[in-house]
Amino acid sequence: MLWRLSFFLALLSCASVSAVEVKPYIVNGNTATVSDYPSFASLFYRNNKVYSTRSFCGATMINSQYVLTAAHCVYGDDDMMLYTVVAPQLQDESQFLSNEQARAAEFYYPDTFINSSVELWPDDIAIIKLESALSTGNLRSLLNSSLNNSYPPNSEFRAVGHGYIEDDVRGGTELLETEMDYVPIAQCRFEIGTKITSKQLCFGGETINGLQNSTCTGDSGGPIYYFDGMQYVQVGITSFGPASCGDPNYSVSSIYTDVYDYQAWITKVLNGEVEPKAYVEVRNGVRVLINNDPGGADPDTVSTIFSRSGGGALSFISAISLFVILMLRNALLIVIYRTKL
């Protein structure tokens, strides 16, 4: 905890306004138009005047009050869940403060989710219920409900997210997209490991200047879309990939949770048939998080081979670090970017 705090404060000392970012996001990306992907959304940390200038994970809107993302984006971090806000259809992250947004109220993920690189993050899917409805309307029709690990030849897939274009190279604040190629499950298991299940999707991509098309840290929870001839339909949720994003030594650069396999679970959550793993409650005018998952604070088992492709929260941003930062920068706008490998 102390070395993490020292490292963060050292980075802050380099500039009056600073964002901590340690990995790229979309690799070989081009500027995307958010109107092509109306379900796209972003998760930010916002606690009064303390907020992130960059999203810590991607997401998609199911409807105006329910949001789909990866379980590892929120799992095990009460502070992150308490101060998560969702910004829909954000083209430029620099417009976050003026963009429509809503606070998270409830968090759901399967009992079978395992936050472990050894197990390859099975059932890495989560739903966030918002405190108030956004203006997006019902977008559930943009979730794949018909194609199950079988796609027409030459299908078009696009991964979408905000951020870096390669290691230590800032990609600006505009939304990025990159084309991906579907990799059959048998080939993926051979290369990534036998614990890859039929409820996961694997993709690779073109190699350009030594980097393969890929998602990476910060893109977790965000979508990969399939073009059905009329619109982009979400088939997967960004979960993890090789530790070096865009590593050309693998034919698989990104692994996703397959949306198709969770239709029944999504319906149950939306119908109120599932108890939340955590929820926000107001006590004496103060918002507090109630975490019902006794295993939710277990540390992740980290591998040097694979990393979560984005996100989640850094546990080192705790109450004490926020206090110290505010003391040092109380006359400045504090910006915090939270990312976890």
Side-chain angles (χ1 to χ4, degrees), residues 17 24 61 68 87 96 131 146 151 153 157 184 193 203 207 241 252 258 262-263 281 310 316-317 334:
V17 177
M61 303 299 300
L68 192 65
F96 161 62
E131 279 188 353
S146 59
Y151 301 97
F157 299 93
F203 288 85
T207 297
V252 176
D258 190 345
Y262 296 89
Q263 296 176 77
E281 187 176 278
F316 73 84
I317 301 186
I334 303 300

Side-chain angles (χ1 to χ4, degrees), residues 99-289:
N99 195 82
E100 182 184 20
Q101 56 191 259
R103 294 189 294 192
E106 298 175 2
F107 298 84
Y108 302 83
Y109 49 84
D111 295 335
T112 49
F113 169 65
I114 303 176
N115 191 37
S116 168
S117 59
V118 173
E119 300 299 326
L120 301 183
W121 292 282
D123 299 316
D124 192 7
I125 183 173
I127 290 176
I128 301 172
K129 183 179 181 180
L130 303 176
E131 279 188 353
S132 56
L134 295 168
S135 63
T136 59
N138 193 336
L139 296 169
R140 188 169 180 182
S141 63
L142 297 181
L143 295 179
N144 173 43
S145 61
S146 59
L147 299 174
N148 186 18
N149 290 315
S150 180
Y151 301 97
N154 302 316
S155 293
E156 178 185 340
F157 299 93
R158 292 188 185 180
V160 181
H162 284 286
Y164 280 20
I165 55 176
E166 60 178 283
D167 283 334
D168 302 320
V169 179
R170 187 184 299 277
T173 57
E174 291 284 330
L175 185 66
L176 299 179
E177 63 183 5
T178 193
E179 293 188 6
M180 303 294 291
D181 300 323
Y182 176 70
V183 177
I185 193 73
Q187 180 180 342
C188 186
R189 284 174 176 159
F190 177 79
E191 184 163 295
I192 303 300
T194 57
K195 290 187 177 181
I196 291 291
T197 75
S198 61
K199 295 194 291 184
Q200 292 169 303
L201 296 171
C202 301
F203 288 85
E206 182 181 3
T207 297
I208 301 173
N209 295 326
L211 289 174
Q212 184 178 182
N213 293 6
S214 178
T215 48
C216 196
T217 302
D219 288 320
S220 279
I224 184 165
Y225 292 104
Y226 160 75
F227 187 66
D228 68 0
M230 295 183 295
Q231 60 187 353
Y232 288 97
V233 176
Q234 184 180 0
V235 294
I237 302 167
T238 307
S239 182
F240 72 97
S244 179
C245 300
D247 189 339
N249 295 311
Y250 294 90
S251 65
V252 176
S253 65
S254 306
I255 294 87
Y256 302 79
T257 304
D258 190 345
V259 170
Y260 177 89
D261 295 295
Y262 296 89
Q263 296 176 77
W265 180 77
I266 292 171
T267 297
K268 288 181 178 179
V269 172
L270 269 56
N271 289 342
E273 300 172 15
V274 179
E275 291 294 322
K277 286 293 191 294
Y279 62 92
V280 177
E281 187 176 278
V282 178
R283 295 179 177 177
N284 299 320
V286 178
R287 299 173 80 251
V288 295
L289 187 89

